[in-house]
Amino acid sequence: METHFSKEQLKDKDNKSSEKIFRKCVHCGFCNATCPTYQLLGDELDGPRGRIYLIKDMLENNKPANEKIVKHIDRCLSCYSCMTTCPSGVNYMHLIDHGRSHIEKTYKRPFSDRFIRDFLSQTLSKSFNFRVVAILTRFIKPFRFLFPKKIKEMINLMPVKFPKKTLPRLQVYPARNKKKPVARVALLTGCVQKVISPQINEATIRLLNRHGIEVVVPKSIDCCGSLNHHLGKSDLANKTFKNNISIWYDEYLKNGLDAIISNTSGCGTTLKDYGFIFRSDDNFKKKAKKISELTKDISEYLDEKVKLNFISKSANEKKYKIAYHSACSMQHGQKIHKEPINLIKKTGNEILEISNGDVCCGSAGTYNLLQSDIAKKLLKNKIKNIEKIKPQFISTGNIGCITQIANGTKIPILHTVEIIDWYTGGPKPEVLRKL
C-alpha cells in the first residue's frame, strides 16, 4: 500500500510504526474472508481492509475522526483473525489500537456513549469497583425495564452471585513438598476474573504449587491495562502498564522470576505487547521488553516447562467428551492453539472440534456490552456449532469467552487449567459436580 506521510508526521513514533504496517498491505482481501463482522454485515468498511483505509486516511491527512469512521472502527472485535489469515504479515492489532487512540483524542462521542465507556473503564478495570457495582446490581435488576436498551443489557450480563474463595490471600504461595522450588513465577490474577471466577486462579496456584513451583501474586497489580487500551484511553492504560512493569521488573531483579503467568488470554496478549508499546520510552523500554519476554499463557507454560503428574485412572473411569473453544486472543493474538488441546488430551478424555472454531464468540472484552446486537449473532452461531457436536462440557482459556458462552447454553463451561488441576490431584470443578 502506498503511503504519503510527511517527514514531520513520521517523527511521531506511532505514525512511524503504522506507516511501515500500511506498506505491508497488498489489498488482497484475504482478511475479509475470515473477519466475523464482514461475514455478518457484508460492508467493506466492516472488514480489516476497509478499516485500514479509514485509519490510514485519518492519520495521513491529520483528520479528526467522524461519526462514520467511529461506527466502523467500533465494530471491530479485535479478534485478530485477519492477522492469522494475512499472507503479508500486516500487524492489524497495532493499527486498530492506533486508530482507537486517535478517535479518543479527536472525536467527541455523544454524552450517553461517553458515560457508558467511562463507566466501564472505571468499573471493569478495578476489582473493588466491579464488586461494588455487582452488589448494587442485585437491587437494580428488578427495575431494569426502566433503563435504556444498552444499560438494560449490561444489567442482564452482570453476575449477582460469586463463588467463595478457598485459598487465603497471600503474596507468595510456596511450592509444595519442596525445600527449593523448581521455578518461581508471578501470576496475573486479573480484575474481573478474581471476582467472578476465583476458582481459575486457585486452580492455577494449586497446580503450580503441586509441581514444585512457587507463585507470587503482587498486591498492587490488579488490571493488565488492556480494557482501557482497547477503549482508546491511552493515558489510563499506560499508567496501568507502567505500574505493572515496575512491580514485576523489581520482583524479577530482587527475587527472580522464571515467568509471568496469565490465565486470561486477552490479558496475556496485551502483556506480550508491552515491549512494543514502550519501544520508544527510554525509561521503560528495557523493562517492558523483559516483561513481555517473561509472559506465558498458563497452557503455554505447562506445555513447555512442566512435567505434569497426572493421576492414574481406572479402566472403567468415566470419560468425557470435551469441546475446546479456542479464544481469539489465544489462537490469533498469541498463536497458541495446540498446546491447551494437547494438555486436555493427556487427561484421557475425547476432544471434540468445534466447526468454524476460528470465529469469535462475540465476547471480545467490552464488545458484548458496547456492540450487543453483533455479539448476540456471533454467540448464536458459536452455540449452534458447539451444541451440534454434543459435548458434555466446554473448555477454554479466557474468562470473557466463559462468561459469554455460558449466557447462551446450559452446557457447562470452564477454564482449561481447572481440568488439568483436577486430573493432577485437585478437586473436581464445581461446575462439573452434576456430571
Side-chain angles (χ1 to χ4, degrees), residues 174-178 203 205-213 309 420-427:
R176 190 188 296 180
N177 301 325
K178 293 277 185 180
I205 292 167
R206 282 194 305 265
L207 175 60
L208 292 171
N209 285 170
R210 192 181 304 123
H211 289 83
I213 299 164
N309 299 315
I420 306 305
D421 175 49
W422 174 27
Y423 276 84
T424 57

PDB file of all heavy atoms in Angstrom, residues 174-178 203 205-213 309 420-427:
ATOM      1  N   PRO A 174       3.961 -20.841  48.446  1.00  0.00           N
ATOM      2  CA  PRO A 174       5.161 -21.684  48.327  1.00  0.00           C
ATOM      3  C   PRO A 174       4.906 -23.005  47.620  1.00  0.00           C
ATOM      4  O   PRO A 174       3.785 -23.537  47.634  1.00  0.00           O
ATOM      5  CB  PRO A 174       5.553 -21.911  49.796  1.00  0.00           C
ATOM      6  CG  PRO A 174       4.286 -21.742  50.562  1.00  0.00           C
ATOM      7  CD  PRO A 174       3.482 -20.721  49.828  1.00  0.00           C
ATOM      8  N   ALA A 175       5.951 -23.518  46.989  1.00  0.00           N
ATOM      9  CA  ALA A 175       5.878 -24.827  46.337  1.00  0.00           C
ATOM     10  C   ALA A 175       5.634 -25.903  47.374  1.00  0.00           C
ATOM     11  O   ALA A 175       6.154 -25.830  48.498  1.00  0.00           O
ATOM     12  CB  ALA A 175       7.173 -25.109  45.577  1.00  0.00           C
ATOM     13  N   ARG A 176       4.852 -26.892  47.021  1.00  0.00           N
ATOM     14  CA  ARG A 176       4.514 -27.956  47.959  1.00  0.00           C
ATOM     15  C   ARG A 176       5.615 -29.018  47.995  1.00  0.00           C
ATOM     16  O   ARG A 176       6.133 -29.419  46.946  1.00  0.00           O
ATOM     17  CB  ARG A 176       3.187 -28.600  47.557  1.00  0.00           C
ATOM     18  CG  ARG A 176       2.633 -29.564  48.615  1.00  0.00           C
ATOM     19  CD  ARG A 176       1.437 -30.327  48.103  1.00  0.00           C
ATOM     20  NE  ARG A 176       0.321 -29.438  47.804  1.00  0.00           N
ATOM     21  CZ  ARG A 176      -0.835 -29.890  47.333  1.00  0.00           C
ATOM     22  NH1 ARG A 176      -1.006 -31.176  47.095  1.00  0.00           N
ATOM     23  NH2 ARG A 176      -1.816 -29.045  47.084  1.00  0.00           N
ATOM     24  N   ASN A 177       5.966 -29.431  49.188  1.00  0.00           N
ATOM     25  CA  ASN A 177       6.914 -30.533  49.402  1.00  0.00           C
ATOM     26  C   ASN A 177       8.271 -30.299  48.737  1.00  0.00           C
ATOM     27  O   ASN A 177       8.914 -31.244  48.273  1.00  0.00           O
ATOM     28  CB  ASN A 177       6.320 -31.861  48.890  1.00  0.00           C
ATOM     29  CG  ASN A 177       5.013 -32.197  49.585  1.00  0.00           C
ATOM     30  OD1 ASN A 177       4.849 -31.911  50.768  1.00  0.00           O
ATOM     31  ND2 ASN A 177       4.093 -32.789  48.855  1.00  0.00           N
ATOM     32  N   LYS A 178       8.668 -29.044  48.660  1.00  0.00           N
ATOM     33  CA  LYS A 178       9.968 -28.735  48.055  1.00  0.00           C
ATOM     34  C   LYS A 178      10.703 -27.735  48.944  1.00  0.00           C
ATOM     35  O   LYS A 178      10.167 -26.676  49.277  1.00  0.00           O
ATOM     36  CB  LYS A 178       9.791 -28.127  46.656  1.00  0.00           C
ATOM     37  CG  LYS A 178       9.222 -29.092  45.622  1.00  0.00           C
ATOM     38  CD  LYS A 178      10.284 -29.976  45.023  1.00  0.00           C
ATOM     39  CE  LYS A 178       9.715 -30.848  43.909  1.00  0.00           C
ATOM     40  NZ  LYS A 178      10.735 -31.713  43.318  1.00  0.00           N
ATOM     41  N   ALA A 203      -7.101 -22.753  40.982  1.00  0.00           N
ATOM     42  CA  ALA A 203      -6.668 -23.967  40.279  1.00  0.00           C
ATOM     43  C   ALA A 203      -5.251 -23.793  39.740  1.00  0.00           C
ATOM     44  O   ALA A 203      -4.423 -24.715  39.795  1.00  0.00           O
ATOM     45  CB  ALA A 203      -7.633 -24.295  39.138  1.00  0.00           C
ATOM     46  N   ILE A 205      -2.859 -21.779  40.940  1.00  0.00           N
ATOM     47  CA  ILE A 205      -1.913 -21.783  42.067  1.00  0.00           C
ATOM     48  C   ILE A 205      -1.708 -23.204  42.601  1.00  0.00           C
ATOM     49  O   ILE A 205      -0.565 -23.641  42.809  1.00  0.00           O
ATOM     50  CB  ILE A 205      -2.404 -20.842  43.184  1.00  0.00           C
ATOM     51  CG1 ILE A 205      -2.333 -19.385  42.709  1.00  0.00           C
ATOM     52  CG2 ILE A 205      -1.566 -21.022  44.455  1.00  0.00           C
ATOM     53  CD1 ILE A 205      -3.081 -18.402  43.588  1.00  0.00           C
ATOM     54  N   ARG A 206      -2.799 -23.935  42.816  1.00  0.00           N
ATOM     55  CA  ARG A 206      -2.684 -25.319  43.313  1.00  0.00           C
ATOM     56  C   ARG A 206      -1.858 -26.173  42.371  1.00  0.00           C
ATOM     57  O   ARG A 206      -0.965 -26.920  42.791  1.00  0.00           O
ATOM     58  CB  ARG A 206      -4.078 -25.948  43.463  1.00  0.00           C
ATOM     59  CG  ARG A 206      -4.863 -25.545  44.688  1.00  0.00           C
ATOM     60  CD  ARG A 206      -6.044 -26.485  44.894  1.00  0.00           C
ATOM     61  NE  ARG A 206      -6.902 -26.571  43.706  1.00  0.00           N
ATOM     62  CZ  ARG A 206      -7.997 -25.849  43.527  1.00  0.00           C
ATOM     63  NH1 ARG A 206      -8.386 -24.982  44.442  1.00  0.00           N
ATOM     64  NH2 ARG A 206      -8.706 -26.000  42.426  1.00  0.00           N
ATOM     65  N   LEU A 207      -2.157 -26.068  41.093  1.00  0.00           N
ATOM     66  CA  LEU A 207      -1.475 -26.877  40.074  1.00  0.00           C
ATOM     67  C   LEU A 207       0.028 -26.590  40.052  1.00  0.00           C
ATOM     68  O   LEU A 207       0.852 -27.515  40.043  1.00  0.00           O
ATOM     69  CB  LEU A 207      -2.098 -26.593  38.710  1.00  0.00           C
ATOM     70  CG  LEU A 207      -1.456 -27.242  37.476  1.00  0.00           C
ATOM     71  CD1 LEU A 207      -1.474 -28.759  37.570  1.00  0.00           C
ATOM     72  CD2 LEU A 207      -2.181 -26.787  36.209  1.00  0.00           C
ATOM     73  N   LEU A 208       0.379 -25.318  40.051  1.00  0.00           N
ATOM     74  CA  LEU A 208       1.795 -24.944  40.005  1.00  0.00           C
ATOM     75  C   LEU A 208       2.509 -25.334  41.305  1.00  0.00           C
ATOM     76  O   LEU A 208       3.611 -25.896  41.267  1.00  0.00           O
ATOM     77  CB  LEU A 208       1.934 -23.443  39.746  1.00  0.00           C
ATOM     78  CG  LEU A 208       1.491 -22.967  38.349  1.00  0.00           C
ATOM     79  CD1 LEU A 208       1.457 -21.445  38.281  1.00  0.00           C
ATOM     80  CD2 LEU A 208       2.397 -23.523  37.260  1.00  0.00           C
ATOM     81  N   ASN A 209       1.891 -25.058  42.455  1.00  0.00           N
ATOM     82  CA  ASN A 209       2.486 -25.433  43.745  1.00  0.00           C
ATOM     83  C   ASN A 209       2.708 -26.937  43.843  1.00  0.00           C
ATOM     84  O   ASN A 209       3.730 -27.401  44.355  1.00  0.00           O
ATOM     85  CB  ASN A 209       1.580 -24.984  44.896  1.00  0.00           C
ATOM     86  CG  ASN A 209       1.626 -23.490  45.181  1.00  0.00           C
ATOM     87  OD1 ASN A 209       0.821 -22.975  45.950  1.00  0.00           O
ATOM     88  ND2 ASN A 209       2.547 -22.774  44.549  1.00  0.00           N
ATOM     89  N   ARG A 210       1.728 -27.703  43.351  1.00  0.00           N
ATOM     90  CA  ARG A 210       1.804 -29.162  43.403  1.00  0.00           C
ATOM     91  C   ARG A 210       2.990 -29.694  42.605  1.00  0.00           C
ATOM     92  O   ARG A 210       3.530 -30.766  42.903  1.00  0.00           O
ATOM     93  CB  ARG A 210       0.498 -29.753  42.850  1.00  0.00           C
ATOM     94  CG  ARG A 210       0.300 -31.249  43.106  1.00  0.00           C
ATOM     95  CD  ARG A 210      -1.010 -31.742  42.485  1.00  0.00           C
ATOM     96  NE  ARG A 210      -2.138 -30.978  42.988  1.00  0.00           N
ATOM     97  CZ  ARG A 210      -2.985 -30.305  42.212  1.00  0.00           C
ATOM     98  NH1 ARG A 210      -2.851 -30.308  40.901  1.00  0.00           N
ATOM     99  NH2 ARG A 210      -3.983 -29.645  42.744  1.00  0.00           N
ATOM    100  N   HIS A 211       3.399 -28.936  41.587  1.00  0.00           N
ATOM    101  CA  HIS A 211       4.517 -29.358  40.739  1.00  0.00           C
ATOM    102  C   HIS A 211       5.812 -28.617  41.070  1.00  0.00           C
ATOM    103  O   HIS A 211       6.706 -28.491  40.233  1.00  0.00           O
ATOM    104  CB  HIS A 211       4.142 -29.189  39.261  1.00  0.00           C
ATOM    105  CG  HIS A 211       3.112 -30.177  38.789  1.00  0.00           C
ATOM    106  ND1 HIS A 211       1.763 -30.006  38.975  1.00  0.00           N
ATOM    107  CD2 HIS A 211       3.271 -31.391  38.179  1.00  0.00           C
ATOM    108  CE1 HIS A 211       1.105 -31.044  38.487  1.00  0.00           C
ATOM    109  NE2 HIS A 211       1.991 -31.894  38.002  1.00  0.00           N
ATOM    110  N   GLY A 212       5.889 -28.131  42.315  1.00  0.00           N
ATOM    111  CA  GLY A 212       7.144 -27.571  42.807  1.00  0.00           C
ATOM    112  C   GLY A 212       7.437 -26.146  42.392  1.00  0.00           C
ATOM    113  O   GLY A 212       8.585 -25.708  42.444  1.00  0.00           O
ATOM    114  N   ILE A 213       6.416 -25.397  41.996  1.00  0.00           N
ATOM    115  CA  ILE A 213       6.618 -24.033  41.503  1.00  0.00           C
ATOM    116  C   ILE A 213       6.032 -23.016  42.480  1.00  0.00           C
ATOM    117  O   ILE A 213       4.875 -23.119  42.883  1.00  0.00           O
ATOM    118  CB  ILE A 213       5.970 -23.859  40.111  1.00  0.00           C
ATOM    119  CG1 ILE A 213       6.621 -24.830  39.112  1.00  0.00           C
ATOM    120  CG2 ILE A 213       6.104 -22.419  39.622  1.00  0.00           C
ATOM    121  CD1 ILE A 213       5.830 -25.027  37.849  1.00  0.00           C
ATOM    122  N   ASN A 309       2.133 -34.409  36.519  1.00  0.00           N
ATOM    123  CA  ASN A 309       1.923 -35.720  37.136  1.00  0.00           C
ATOM    124  C   ASN A 309       0.436 -36.045  37.165  1.00  0.00           C
ATOM    125  O   ASN A 309      -0.269 -35.726  38.121  1.00  0.00           O
ATOM    126  CB  ASN A 309       2.491 -35.724  38.559  1.00  0.00           C
ATOM    127  CG  ASN A 309       3.981 -35.451  38.576  1.00  0.00           C
ATOM    128  OD1 ASN A 309       4.737 -36.010  37.788  1.00  0.00           O
ATOM    129  ND2 ASN A 309       4.404 -34.570  39.470  1.00  0.00           N
ATOM    130  N   ILE A 420      -6.983 -29.487  34.173  1.00  0.00           N
ATOM    131  CA  ILE A 420      -5.645 -30.033  34.420  1.00  0.00           C
ATOM    132  C   ILE A 420      -5.377 -30.128  35.920  1.00  0.00           C
ATOM    133  O   ILE A 420      -4.780 -31.110  36.397  1.00  0.00           O
ATOM    134  CB  ILE A 420      -4.560 -29.173  33.729  1.00  0.00           C
ATOM    135  CG1 ILE A 420      -4.878 -29.008  32.231  1.00  0.00           C
ATOM    136  CG2 ILE A 420      -3.181 -29.814  33.912  1.00  0.00           C
ATOM    137  CD1 ILE A 420      -5.073 -30.312  31.469  1.00  0.00           C
ATOM    138  N   ASP A 421      -5.836 -29.157  36.679  1.00  0.00           N
ATOM    139  CA  ASP A 421      -5.703 -29.215  38.136  1.00  0.00           C
ATOM    140  C   ASP A 421      -6.431 -30.438  38.688  1.00  0.00           C
ATOM    141  O   ASP A 421      -5.892 -31.173  39.526  1.00  0.00           O
ATOM    142  CB  ASP A 421      -6.276 -27.931  38.747  1.00  0.00           C
ATOM    143  CG  ASP A 421      -6.294 -27.951  40.266  1.00  0.00           C
ATOM    144  OD1 ASP A 421      -5.250 -28.277  40.867  1.00  0.00           O
ATOM    145  OD2 ASP A 421      -7.358 -27.659  40.853  1.00  0.00           O
ATOM    146  N   TRP A 422      -7.632 -30.661  38.219  1.00  0.00           N
ATOM    147  CA  TRP A 422      -8.449 -31.805  38.660  1.00  0.00           C
ATOM    148  C   TRP A 422      -7.754 -33.138  38.367  1.00  0.00           C
ATOM    149  O   TRP A 422      -7.665 -34.018  39.218  1.00  0.00           O
ATOM    150  CB  TRP A 422      -9.812 -31.718  37.966  1.00  0.00           C
ATOM    151  CG  TRP A 422     -10.745 -32.870  38.165  1.00  0.00           C
ATOM    152  CD1 TRP A 422     -10.803 -33.731  39.229  1.00  0.00           C
ATOM    153  CD2 TRP A 422     -11.777 -33.286  37.266  1.00  0.00           C
ATOM    154  NE1 TRP A 422     -11.805 -34.657  39.045  1.00  0.00           N
ATOM    155  CE2 TRP A 422     -12.420 -34.408  37.852  1.00  0.00           C
ATOM    156  CE3 TRP A 422     -12.221 -32.818  36.025  1.00  0.00           C
ATOM    157  CZ2 TRP A 422     -13.476 -35.075  37.238  1.00  0.00           C
ATOM    158  CZ3 TRP A 422     -13.277 -33.465  35.418  1.00  0.00           C
ATOM    159  CH2 TRP A 422     -13.895 -34.577  36.007  1.00  0.00           C
ATOM    160  N   TYR A 423      -7.204 -33.258  37.173  1.00  0.00           N
ATOM    161  CA  TYR A 423      -6.602 -34.533  36.762  1.00  0.00           C
ATOM    162  C   TYR A 423      -5.179 -34.732  37.290  1.00  0.00           C
ATOM    163  O   TYR A 423      -4.557 -35.751  37.022  1.00  0.00           O
ATOM    164  CB  TYR A 423      -6.643 -34.667  35.234  1.00  0.00           C
ATOM    165  CG  TYR A 423      -7.967 -35.213  34.747  1.00  0.00           C
ATOM    166  CD1 TYR A 423      -9.054 -34.367  34.543  1.00  0.00           C
ATOM    167  CD2 TYR A 423      -8.152 -36.582  34.540  1.00  0.00           C
ATOM    168  CE1 TYR A 423     -10.279 -34.862  34.120  1.00  0.00           C
ATOM    169  CE2 TYR A 423      -9.372 -37.091  34.112  1.00  0.00           C
ATOM    170  CZ  TYR A 423     -10.433 -36.221  33.910  1.00  0.00           C
ATOM    171  OH  TYR A 423     -11.655 -36.728  33.511  1.00  0.00           O
ATOM    172  N   THR A 424      -4.680 -33.738  38.016  1.00  0.00           N
ATOM    173  CA  THR A 424      -3.360 -33.916  38.648  1.00  0.00           C
ATOM    174  C   THR A 424      -3.465 -33.856  40.175  1.00  0.00           C
ATOM    175  O   THR A 424      -2.469 -33.619  40.858  1.00  0.00           O
ATOM    176  CB  THR A 424      -2.351 -32.856  38.147  1.00  0.00           C
ATOM    177  OG1 THR A 424      -2.872 -31.544  38.413  1.00  0.00           O
ATOM    178  CG2 THR A 424      -2.069 -33.006  36.665  1.00  0.00           C
ATOM    179  N   GLY A 425      -4.679 -34.048  40.690  1.00  0.00           N
ATOM    180  CA  GLY A 425      -4.832 -34.142  42.138  1.00  0.00           C
ATOM    181  C   GLY A 425      -5.683 -33.085  42.793  1.00  0.00           C
ATOM    182  O   GLY A 425      -5.890 -33.122  44.007  1.00  0.00           O
ATOM    183  N   GLY A 426      -6.183 -32.131  42.030  1.00  0.00           N
ATOM    184  CA  GLY A 426      -7.033 -31.081  42.579  1.00  0.00           C
ATOM    185  C   GLY A 426      -8.484 -31.529  42.678  1.00  0.00           C
ATOM    186  O   GLY A 426      -8.844 -32.623  42.223  1.00  0.00           O
ATOM    187  N   PRO A 427      -9.345 -30.691  43.235  1.00  0.00           N
ATOM    188  CA  PRO A 427     -10.760 -31.045  43.366  1.00  0.00           C
ATOM    189  C   PRO A 427     -11.487 -31.021  42.025  1.00  0.00           C
ATOM    190  O   PRO A 427     -11.076 -30.317  41.102  1.00  0.00           O
ATOM    191  CB  PRO A 427     -11.296 -29.955  44.293  1.00  0.00           C
ATOM    192  CG  PRO A 427     -10.403 -28.777  44.049  1.00  0.00           C
ATOM    193  CD  PRO A 427      -9.048 -29.354  43.792  1.00  0.00           C
TER     194      PRO A 427
END
